[in-house]
Amino acid sequence: YIAGPVHIKGLLWHPPALVSELTGSIFDPAELSRCRDALAKRADLTQYTTTAAARDYEAVLDQLGYREVNAMGTSYGSRMALELARQLPRRMRTMTIEAIVPMDFTWPSHGAADADAALDAVIDDCAADARCARTYPRFRQDIDLAFARLRRSPVSVFVRDPNTGGIAPVSFGQNDLAYAIRGILYGNDALALPLWFRQAAEGDFSSFAQAYVTRARTLVAQIALGVLFGVYCAEDLPFLDLAAAERSADGTHLGHYLLDEYKRGCEVWPRAAIDPSFREPVQTTVPSLVMAGRRDPVTPPRNAIEVSRTLTRARLIVWPSGGHGTDGLASADCRTGIMREFLRTADPSVLSIDCVAQEPARPFIGAQ
C-alpha cells in the first residue's frame, strides 16, 4: 500500500510485458480494469480491508496456540498492527511499528510535499558533510537544472530490464524524475542523489531511469495490487480533502501527479464501506516501540509523533539518517539492540536509546 510488501495469493498483478510501459504513469486504468475483472471472478474485492483482515487474526492465533504475540509492522504493516491492538489488546504482548501509517493518514494528501521535505533533508545532510559539500557544492542547483531540462521535453534513455536482462529505451519526463526521486529516498540509494543529479544536470538521466525501472519491476513482484487498491480506495481516498491536498502539492516537484494517479486508479476499483470509527486514533496500553526515519519521503516522523500520543505505554525513536522504515542506518546494531531489549522486557520505559544519537551516517556516494 505505502511501501511494505503485501503478497496475498490470488491477488497478484501481472507486470507490463514491455519495459517502455513502466514510465509515463504509475497506474494504467485499462490495465487496472483488466486486473479487477480477472480477480473478481475468484474473490470479493470489497473484503480486502484492514478491519476485515484483523478480524481473522484471533482465529489464526487460536489455531496456532498462541496466547500472546509480539506484533511488528512496517509501513502499511503499522496500520495493521494498530488495528490489531484496537481489536485484540489482550492478545498483544508488545507492538513494534515503524514508518507509521496512521488510521487517518489519507494518502497522498501530503505525498508531494513530504517527498520534497525528504529531499531537502538529504540536501541539508550533504551540505553538513565536508566531503559531500566539497564534491557537490551545487547540489540544489543541479536539481533545478535537471528538472528544467525535462520541463522542456522528455528524454529517451536506455535501461536494462531486470526481468529479461534486455536493453530497451524508455521515455523519461518530469513526472518520472519526481517519482523516481521519491522511490530513491526510501532507502540507501538516496546517498547517490548528489552524484546522479550532477549527471542529470549535464543531460545524463540514465541512473534515475534505471532506478525507476528496477524499482517498478521489484514492486510488481512484491505488492498485491488488489490488496493495495482494496485498502486505499476504501480507507483513504474517500476521506481526502482534494482541494487541501492540491494546495499542499502546488509548487512541489511531484505536483498533482500522485493525486491524479491514485484518483484514476480508484475510479475503476470496487470500494468497501468503512465505518467512520476506523479512522479514529488507536488508544491502547499495549507496550509499544514506535520508530521513524527523519528522511522518510512517505511516512515522515510527524506520523509517529501523532500516533504515539494515544499509545499510553510507548517509546518514540526518530533515526536522524533513517529513510522509510529504518533504511539509511549505517549499522543494524543499535536498532537490533533496542528491539531485543524491548522484546525481553516488554517495557518501553526502561529502554536505553543513547546509541540513536551516536548512530554514524553512511557516506554519500562519490563524495571525496
Side-chain angles (χ1 to χ4, degrees), residues 7-65:
H7 190 127
I8 297 184
K9 185 176 181 180
L11 288 185
L12 292 178
W13 180 45
H14 297 292
L18 301 177
V19 71
S20 60
E21 298 174 355
L22 293 173
T23 58
S25 65
I26 305 174
F27 306 112
D28 177 0
E31 179 65 32
L32 279 177
S33 296
R34 289 191 290 270
C35 173
R36 175 203 63 207
D37 294 343
L39 296 178
K41 294 176 181 178
R42 59 182 185 272
D44 180 353
L45 301 184
T46 66
Q47 296 304 307
Y48 291 84
T49 64
T50 305
T51 301
R55 289 196 190 108
D56 293 337
Y57 270 76
E58 188 156 34
V60 173
L61 298 181
D62 288 343
Q63 182 66 31
L64 294 173

Coordinates of all heavy atoms in Angstrom, one line a residue, residues 7-65:
H7 N 1.8 -9.5 0.0 CA 1.8 -10.5 -1.0 C 0.7 -11.6 -0.6 O 0.9 -12.4 0.3 CB 3.2 -11.2 -1.0 CG 3.4 -12.1 -2.2 ND1 4.4 -12.0 -3.0 CD2 2.7 -13.2 -2.6 CE1 4.4 -13.0 -3.9 NE2 3.3 -13.7 -3.7
I8 N -0.4 -11.5 -1.2 CA -1.5 -12.4 -0.9 C -1.9 -13.2 -2.1 O -2.2 -12.7 -3.2 CB -2.8 -11.6 -0.4 CG1 -2.4 -10.9 0.9 CG2 -3.9 -12.5 -0.2 CD1 -3.5 -10.1 1.5
K9 N -1.8 -14.5 -2.0 CA -2.1 -15.4 -3.1 C -3.4 -15.2 -3.7 O -4.4 -15.0 -3.0 CB -2.0 -16.9 -2.6 CG -2.1 -17.9 -3.7 CD -1.9 -19.3 -3.1 CE -2.0 -20.3 -4.3 NZ -1.9 -21.7 -3.8
G10 N -3.4 -15.1 -5.0 CA -4.7 -14.9 -5.7 C -4.9 -13.4 -6.1 O -5.9 -13.2 -6.8
L11 N -4.2 -12.5 -5.5 CA -4.4 -11.1 -5.8 C -3.2 -10.4 -6.4 O -2.9 -9.3 -6.2 CB -4.9 -10.4 -4.6 CG -6.3 -10.7 -4.1 CD1 -6.7 -9.8 -2.9 CD2 -7.3 -10.5 -5.2
L12 N -2.4 -11.2 -7.1 CA -1.2 -10.6 -7.7 C -1.5 -10.0 -9.1 O -2.4 -10.5 -9.8 CB -0.1 -11.7 -7.9 CG 0.5 -12.2 -6.6 CD1 1.5 -13.2 -6.9 CD2 1.2 -11.0 -5.8
W13 N -0.8 -9.0 -9.4 CA -1.0 -8.3 -10.6 C 0.2 -8.6 -11.6 O 1.4 -8.6 -11.2 CB -1.0 -6.8 -10.4 CG -1.1 -5.9 -11.6 CD1 -2.0 -6.1 -12.6 CD2 -0.4 -4.7 -11.9 NE1 -1.9 -5.0 -13.5 CE2 -0.9 -4.2 -13.1 CE3 0.6 -4.0 -11.3 CZ2 -0.5 -3.0 -13.7 CZ3 1.1 -2.9 -11.9 CH2 0.6 -2.4 -13.1
H14 N -0.1 -9.0 -12.8 CA 1.0 -9.3 -13.7 C 1.6 -8.0 -14.3 O 0.8 -7.1 -14.7 CB 0.4 -10.2 -14.8 CG -0.1 -11.5 -14.3 ND1 0.8 -12.5 -13.8 CD2 -1.3 -12.0 -14.2 CE1 0.0 -13.5 -13.4 NE2 -1.2 -13.3 -13.6
P15 N 2.9 -8.0 -14.4 CA 3.6 -6.7 -14.8 C 3.4 -6.5 -16.3 O 3.1 -7.4 -17.1 CB 5.0 -7.0 -14.5 CG 5.2 -8.5 -14.6 CD 3.9 -9.0 -14.1
P16 N 3.6 -5.2 -16.7 CA 3.6 -4.9 -18.1 C 4.7 -5.7 -18.8 O 5.8 -5.9 -18.2 CB 3.9 -3.4 -18.2 CG 3.4 -2.9 -16.8 CD 3.7 -4.0 -15.9
A17 N 4.4 -6.2 -20.0 CA 5.4 -7.0 -20.7 C 6.6 -6.2 -21.2 O 7.7 -6.7 -21.2 CB 4.7 -7.7 -21.9
L18 N 6.4 -4.9 -21.6 CA 7.4 -4.1 -22.1 C 7.9 -3.1 -21.1 O 7.1 -2.5 -20.4 CB 6.9 -3.4 -23.4 CG 6.4 -4.3 -24.5 CD1 5.9 -3.4 -25.6 CD2 7.5 -5.2 -25.0
V19 N 9.2 -3.0 -21.0 CA 9.8 -2.0 -20.0 C 9.4 -0.6 -20.4 O 9.2 0.3 -19.5 CB 11.3 -2.2 -20.0 CG1 12.0 -1.7 -21.2 CG2 11.9 -1.5 -18.7
S20 N 9.1 -0.3 -21.6 CA 8.7 1.0 -22.1 C 7.4 1.4 -21.5 O 7.0 2.6 -21.4 CB 8.7 1.1 -23.6 OG 7.8 0.2 -24.1
E21 N 6.6 0.4 -21.0 CA 5.3 0.7 -20.5 C 5.3 1.2 -19.0 O 4.3 1.6 -18.4 CB 4.4 -0.5 -20.6 CG 4.1 -1.0 -22.0 CD 3.3 -2.3 -22.1 OE1 3.1 -2.9 -21.0 OE2 3.0 -2.7 -23.2
L22 N 6.5 1.1 -18.4 CA 6.6 1.4 -17.0 C 6.6 2.9 -16.7 O 6.2 3.3 -15.6 CB 7.8 0.7 -16.4 CG 7.9 -0.8 -16.4 CD1 9.2 -1.3 -16.0 CD2 6.8 -1.4 -15.5
T23 N 7.1 3.7 -17.6 CA 7.2 5.1 -17.3 C 6.0 5.8 -17.9 O 5.2 5.2 -18.6 CB 8.5 5.7 -17.9 OG1 8.5 5.5 -19.3 CG2 9.7 5.1 -17.3
G24 N 5.8 7.1 -17.5 CA 4.7 7.9 -18.1 C 3.5 7.9 -17.2 O 2.7 8.9 -17.2
S25 N 3.3 6.9 -16.4 CA 2.2 6.8 -15.4 C 2.5 5.8 -14.4 O 3.3 4.9 -14.6 CB 0.8 6.5 -16.1 OG 0.8 5.2 -16.7
I26 N 1.8 5.9 -13.2 CA 2.0 4.9 -12.2 C 1.1 3.8 -12.4 O 1.4 2.6 -12.3 CB 1.8 5.5 -10.8 CG1 2.7 6.8 -10.6 CG2 2.1 4.5 -9.7 CD1 2.5 7.5 -9.3
F27 N -0.2 4.1 -12.7 CA -1.2 3.1 -12.9 C -1.9 3.3 -14.3 O -2.3 4.5 -14.6 CB -2.2 3.1 -11.8 CG -1.7 3.0 -10.4 CD1 -1.7 4.1 -9.5 CD2 -1.1 1.8 -10.0 CE1 -1.2 4.0 -8.3 CE2 -0.5 1.7 -8.7 CZ -0.6 2.8 -7.9
D28 N -2.1 2.3 -15.0 CA -2.9 2.3 -16.2 C -4.3 1.9 -15.9 O -4.6 0.7 -15.6 CB -2.3 1.4 -17.3 CG -3.0 1.4 -18.6 OD1 -4.1 2.1 -18.7 OD2 -2.6 0.6 -19.5
P29 N -5.3 2.8 -16.0 CA -6.7 2.4 -15.7 C -7.2 1.2 -16.5 O -8.0 0.4 -16.0 CB -7.5 3.7 -16.0 CG -6.5 4.8 -15.9 CD -5.2 4.2 -16.3
A30 N -6.8 1.1 -17.8 CA -7.2 0.0 -18.6 C -6.7 -1.3 -18.0 O -7.4 -2.4 -17.9 CB -6.8 0.2 -20.0
E31 N -5.4 -1.3 -17.6 CA -4.8 -2.5 -17.0 C -5.4 -2.8 -15.7 O -5.6 -4.0 -15.4 CB -3.3 -2.2 -16.9 CG -2.5 -3.4 -16.2 CD -2.5 -4.6 -17.1 OE1 -2.5 -4.5 -18.4 OE2 -2.5 -5.7 -16.5
L32 N -5.7 -1.8 -14.9 CA -6.4 -2.0 -13.6 C -7.7 -2.6 -13.8 O -8.2 -3.5 -13.0 CB -6.5 -0.7 -12.9 CG -5.3 -0.2 -12.1 CD1 -5.6 1.2 -11.5 CD2 -4.9 -1.2 -11.0
S33 N -8.4 -2.2 -14.8 CA -9.8 -2.7 -15.1 C -9.7 -4.2 -15.5 O -10.5 -5.0 -15.0 CB -10.5 -2.0 -16.3 OG -10.7 -0.6 -15.9
R34 N -8.7 -4.6 -16.3 CA -8.5 -6.0 -16.6 C -8.1 -6.8 -15.4 O -8.6 -7.9 -15.1 CB -7.4 -6.1 -17.7 CG -7.8 -5.6 -19.0 CD -6.8 -6.0 -20.1 NE -5.6 -5.3 -20.0 CZ -5.4 -4.1 -20.6 NH1 -6.3 -3.5 -21.3 NH2 -4.2 -3.5 -20.5
C35 N -7.3 -6.2 -14.5 CA -6.9 -6.9 -13.2 C -8.1 -7.1 -12.4 O -8.3 -8.1 -11.8 CB -5.8 -6.0 -12.5 SG -5.4 -6.5 -10.9
R36 N -8.9 -6.0 -12.2 CA -10.2 -6.1 -11.4 C -11.1 -7.2 -11.9 O -11.6 -8.0 -11.2 CB -10.9 -4.7 -11.5 CG -12.2 -4.7 -10.8 CD -13.0 -3.6 -11.4 NE -13.3 -3.8 -12.8 CZ -13.5 -2.8 -13.7 NH1 -13.5 -1.5 -13.3 NH2 -13.8 -3.1 -15.0
D37 N -11.3 -7.2 -13.2 CA -12.2 -8.2 -13.8 C -11.7 -9.6 -13.6 O -12.5 -10.5 -13.3 CB -12.4 -7.9 -15.3 CG -13.1 -6.6 -15.5 OD1 -13.8 -6.1 -14.6 OD2 -13.1 -6.1 -16.7
A38 N -10.4 -9.8 -13.7 CA -9.8 -11.2 -13.6 C -9.9 -11.6 -12.1 O -10.3 -12.8 -11.8 CB -8.4 -11.2 -14.0
L39 N -9.6 -10.7 -11.2 CA -9.6 -11.1 -9.8 C -11.1 -11.3 -9.2 O -11.3 -12.1 -8.4 CB -8.9 -10.0 -8.9 CG -7.4 -9.9 -9.2 CD1 -6.8 -8.7 -8.4 CD2 -6.7 -11.2 -9.0
A40 N -12.0 -10.5 -9.8 CA -13.4 -10.5 -9.3 C -14.0 -11.9 -9.6 O -15.0 -12.2 -9.0 CB -14.2 -9.4 -9.9
K41 N -13.5 -12.6 -10.5 CA -14.0 -14.0 -10.8 C -13.8 -15.0 -9.7 O -14.5 -16.0 -9.6 CB -13.4 -14.5 -12.1 CG -13.8 -13.7 -13.3 CD -13.1 -14.2 -14.6 CE -13.5 -13.4 -15.8 NZ -12.7 -13.9 -17.0
R42 N -12.8 -14.7 -8.8 CA -12.5 -15.6 -7.7 C -12.4 -15.0 -6.4 O -12.0 -15.7 -5.4 CB -11.2 -16.4 -8.1 CG -10.0 -15.5 -8.2 CD -8.8 -16.3 -8.6 NE -7.5 -15.6 -8.7 CZ -7.1 -14.9 -9.8 NH1 -7.8 -15.0 -10.9 NH2 -5.9 -14.3 -9.7
A43 N -12.7 -13.7 -6.2 CA -12.6 -13.0 -4.9 C -13.5 -11.9 -4.9 O -13.8 -11.2 -5.9 CB -11.1 -12.5 -4.7
D44 N -14.1 -11.6 -3.6 CA -14.9 -10.4 -3.4 C -13.9 -9.3 -3.0 O -13.4 -9.3 -1.9 CB -15.8 -10.7 -2.2 CG -16.7 -9.5 -1.9 OD1 -16.5 -8.4 -2.5 OD2 -17.6 -9.6 -1.0
L45 N -13.7 -8.4 -4.0 CA -12.7 -7.4 -3.8 C -13.0 -6.3 -2.8 O -12.1 -5.5 -2.5 CB -12.4 -6.7 -5.2 CG -12.0 -7.7 -6.3 CD1 -11.6 -6.9 -7.6 CD2 -10.8 -8.5 -5.9
T46 N -14.2 -6.4 -2.2 CA -14.5 -5.4 -1.1 C -14.2 -6.0 0.2 O -14.4 -5.3 1.2 CB -16.0 -5.1 -1.2 OG1 -16.8 -6.2 -0.9 CG2 -16.4 -4.5 -2.5
Q47 N -13.6 -7.2 0.3 CA -13.3 -7.8 1.6 C -11.8 -7.6 2.0 O -11.4 -8.0 3.1 CB -13.6 -9.3 1.6 CG -15.1 -9.6 1.4 CD -16.0 -8.9 2.4 OE1 -15.7 -9.0 3.6 NE2 -17.0 -8.1 2.0
Y48 N -11.1 -6.9 1.1 CA -9.6 -6.8 1.4 C -9.4 -5.4 2.1 O -8.9 -4.5 1.4 CB -8.8 -7.0 0.2 CG -8.9 -8.4 -0.3 CD1 -9.9 -8.9 -1.1 CD2 -7.9 -9.3 0.1 CE1 -10.0 -10.2 -1.4 CE2 -8.0 -10.7 -0.3 CZ -9.0 -11.1 -1.0 OH -9.1 -12.4 -1.4
T49 N -9.7 -5.3 3.3 CA -9.5 -4.1 4.1 C -8.8 -4.5 5.4 O -8.7 -5.6 5.8 CB -10.9 -3.4 4.5 OG1 -11.6 -4.3 5.3 CG2 -11.7 -3.1 3.2
T50 N -8.3 -3.4 6.1 CA -7.6 -3.7 7.3 C -8.5 -4.3 8.4 O -8.1 -5.2 9.1 CB -7.0 -2.3 7.8 OG1 -6.2 -1.8 6.8 CG2 -6.1 -2.6 9.1
T51 N -9.7 -3.7 8.5 CA -10.6 -4.2 9.6 C -10.9 -5.7 9.3 O -10.9 -6.5 10.3 CB -11.9 -3.4 9.6 OG1 -11.5 -2.0 9.9 CG2 -12.8 -3.9 10.6
A52 N -11.3 -6.0 8.1 CA -11.6 -7.4 7.8 C -10.5 -8.4 8.0 O -10.7 -9.5 8.6 CB -12.1 -7.5 6.3
A53 N -9.3 -8.0 7.6 CA -8.1 -8.8 7.8 C -7.8 -9.0 9.3 O -7.5 -10.1 9.8 CB -6.9 -8.3 7.1
A54 N -8.0 -7.9 10.1 CA -7.6 -8.0 11.5 C -8.6 -8.9 12.2 O -8.2 -9.6 13.2 CB -7.7 -6.6 12.1
R55 N -9.9 -9.0 11.8 CA -10.8 -9.9 12.4 C -10.4 -11.4 12.3 O -10.9 -12.2 13.1 CB -12.2 -9.7 11.8 CG -12.9 -8.4 12.1 CD -14.4 -8.4 11.7 NE -15.0 -7.1 11.8 CZ -15.4 -6.4 10.7 NH1 -15.2 -7.0 9.5 NH2 -15.9 -5.2 10.9
D56 N -9.6 -11.7 11.4 CA -9.2 -13.1 11.2 C -8.1 -13.5 12.1 O -7.9 -14.7 12.3 CB -8.8 -13.4 9.8 CG -9.9 -13.2 8.7 OD1 -11.1 -13.3 9.1 OD2 -9.6 -12.9 7.6
Y57 N -7.4 -12.6 12.7 CA -6.2 -12.9 13.5 C -6.5 -13.7 14.7 O -5.7 -14.6 15.1 CB -5.5 -11.6 13.8 CG -4.5 -11.2 12.8 CD1 -4.9 -10.6 11.6 CD2 -3.1 -11.4 12.9 CE1 -4.0 -10.2 10.6 CE2 -2.2 -11.1 12.0 CZ -2.6 -10.4 10.8 OH -1.7 -10.1 9.9
E58 N -7.6 -13.5 15.4 CA -7.8 -14.2 16.6 C -8.0 -15.7 16.4 O -7.4 -16.6 17.1 CB -9.0 -13.7 17.4 CG -9.2 -14.3 18.8 CD -10.0 -13.5 19.7 OE1 -10.9 -12.8 19.3 OE2 -9.7 -13.5 20.9
A59 N -8.7 -16.0 15.3 CA -8.9 -17.4 14.9 C -7.5 -18.0 14.5 O -7.2 -19.2 14.9 CB -9.9 -17.6 13.8
V60 N -6.7 -17.3 13.9 CA -5.4 -17.8 13.5 C -4.5 -18.0 14.7 O -3.9 -19.1 14.8 CB -4.7 -16.8 12.5 CG1 -3.2 -17.2 12.3 CG2 -5.4 -16.6 11.2
L61 N -4.5 -17.1 15.7 CA -3.7 -17.3 16.9 C -4.2 -18.5 17.7 O -3.4 -19.2 18.3 CB -3.8 -16.0 17.7 CG -3.2 -14.7 17.1 CD1 -3.3 -13.5 18.1 CD2 -1.8 -14.9 16.7
D62 N -5.5 -18.6 17.7 CA -6.1 -19.8 18.5 C -5.6 -21.1 17.8 O -5.3 -22.0 18.5 CB -7.6 -19.7 18.5 CG -8.2 -18.6 19.4 OD1 -7.4 -18.1 20.2 OD2 -9.3 -18.2 19.2
Q63 N -5.7 -21.1 16.5 CA -5.3 -22.3 15.8 C -3.8 -22.6 16.0 O -3.4 -23.8 16.1 CB -5.6 -22.1 14.3 CG -5.2 -23.4 13.4 CD -6.1 -24.5 13.7 OE1 -7.3 -24.4 14.1 NE2 -5.6 -25.8 13.6
L64 N -3.0 -21.6 16.1 CA -1.6 -21.8 16.3 C -1.2 -22.0 17.7 O -0.1 -22.4 18.1 CB -0.8 -20.6 15.8 CG -0.9 -20.3 14.3 CD1 -0.2 -19.0 13.9 CD2 -0.1 -21.5 13.5
G65 N -2.2 -21.8 18.6 CA -1.9 -22.0 20.0 C -1.2 -20.9 20.7 O -0.5 -21.1 21.7

